[in-house]
Structures are given as C-alpha cells and as structure tokens.
Amino acid sequence: MAHNRRYSKVEVEEAFKNMPTFCGDLIDLTDVPVLLKRLDFSCTEDQMAGYLTFLRDCHGGKLPLEVGIASLGVADDAREVMRVHIHALDRDRDGFVDEFEFKATVQLCLLHDPSLAKVNFNKFVEEADTDKDGKVSIAEATEWFCEHGQNLKM
C-alpha cells in the first residue's frame, strides 16, 4: 500500500529469523501475517488473503527471505515491487514471463486494483513484447504491468 515505507534488509531479516517456522531462509505462509504485523506493514484482509494464496500457489506455501527483503525494501514503489515479484516468479530463471508467471502476476495486481482490465496471455505478449522477439522479458513485463496499472498501489 502506498502508505507503507521501505524496510531495511536488517529489519526484515531480523523479523524473518524470529518467525516460528523460519528454516533455511524460508518461512511458512502461516507466519506472514505475524511478520507483516511486526514490521507495521498494513494491508486489507482481502489483500492478506490474496498474498497467502499467492504464496501457496506460486511459492509452495513459503516466503523466501530474499523475496521478503526485496519486496519490502521497495514497498513504497509499485514499479519496483512489480519487478521483484515478476523476477521471483521466473521459476525457470530464463528472464522471460511465461503464461503461468503472467497469470500469477495478474492475480497479485488485482489484489491492489480490482478494476484493472483483464487481458489474456496472448494479448499480453502482443502488447508487451516491444522488441518483437516473440517473448516478454522481465523488463518488458514490468513496463507493461506498470503502464496498465497506473493507479496500482502496493
């Protein structure tokens, strides 16, 4: 949300390590509400439910420390939060957004702005692929999501 501030690596790491399920730089999604409360990060109940669903579906029910540090470190910058999550969703680490990654990112965006226009993956590729190589890079995806979510507030 726009009123949340940036959190330092040290404070996120300290809060993470104090979670009951902390193990191997991961916490279970059950600890996420407590983690965010300790950091005084505010969100609606619907957003929290969406975050937990997102973590369950896209990160195996875990929040990696590196994703927590990266996303909370830019919590006041929707463009950077988007870049962090698109990059984190690049499960095969190829630098491009596939259909699963696109749908998960849309799901996350809709938590913050339910009025965002719905678009299918093929239309996304057509619009976001600015270099016309038939693939959408993380940079192209970030630009597209930020352009289509001008009022997006994290």
Side-chain angles (χ1 to χ4, degrees):
M1 314 261 332
H3 56 276
N4 285 313
R5 64 179 177 82
R6 291 178 183 231
Y7 299 84
S8 74
K9 176 182 178 181
V10 171
E11 66 186 319
V12 174
E13 191 168 28
E14 182 179 323
F16 238 79
K17 290 182 176 179
N18 285 312
M19 294 296 102
T21 62
F22 178 76
C23 181
D25 285 346
L26 298 168
I27 61 171
D28 189 79
L29 64 86
T30 59
D31 278 342
V32 170
V34 176
L35 172 77
L36 295 180
K37 185 174 182 164
R38 284 192 183 167
L39 291 170
D40 201 27
F41 180 94
S42 61
C43 60
T44 67
E45 287 182 30
D46 287 343
Q47 287 171 327
M48 180 61 72
Y51 296 152
L52 298 178
T53 298
F54 176 78
L55 290 172
R56 185 193 69 232
D57 294 349
C58 300
H59 291 284
K62 304 288 183 185
L63 175 60
L65 176 59
E66 68 184 50
V67 173
I69 289 171
S71 58
L72 290 166
V74 294
D76 63 344
D77 184 335
R79 180 178 297 274
E80 281 303 300
V81 170
M82 188 59 51
R83 187 193 59 74
V84 165
H85 285 286
I86 292 169
H87 185 72
L89 284 171
D90 184 17
R91 297 193 293 183
D92 57 6
R93 299 291 183 232
D94 67 352
F96 296 95
V97 177
D98 65 27
E99 190 167 4
F100 171 83
E101 296 160 351
F102 168 75
K103 287 180 178 178
T105 303
V106 168
Q107 180 183 24
L108 184 64
C109 289
L110 288 170
L111 290 174
H112 297 281
D113 186 355
S115 69
L116 287 174
K118 309 255 186 322
V119 65
N120 71 36
F121 180 69
N122 292 333
K123 179 89 169 150
F124 161 73
V125 172
E126 180 183 312
E127 292 178 1
D129 181 20
T130 57
D131 64 6
K132 302 303 177 199
D133 63 356
K135 303 180 284 187
V136 178
S137 70
I138 290 171
E140 289 171 324
T142 301
E143 190 63 34
W144 186 90
F145 276 106
C146 289
E147 181 181 312
H148 287 78
Q150 303 246 347
N151 299 320
L152 189 64
K153 293 190 175 29
M154 293 291 177

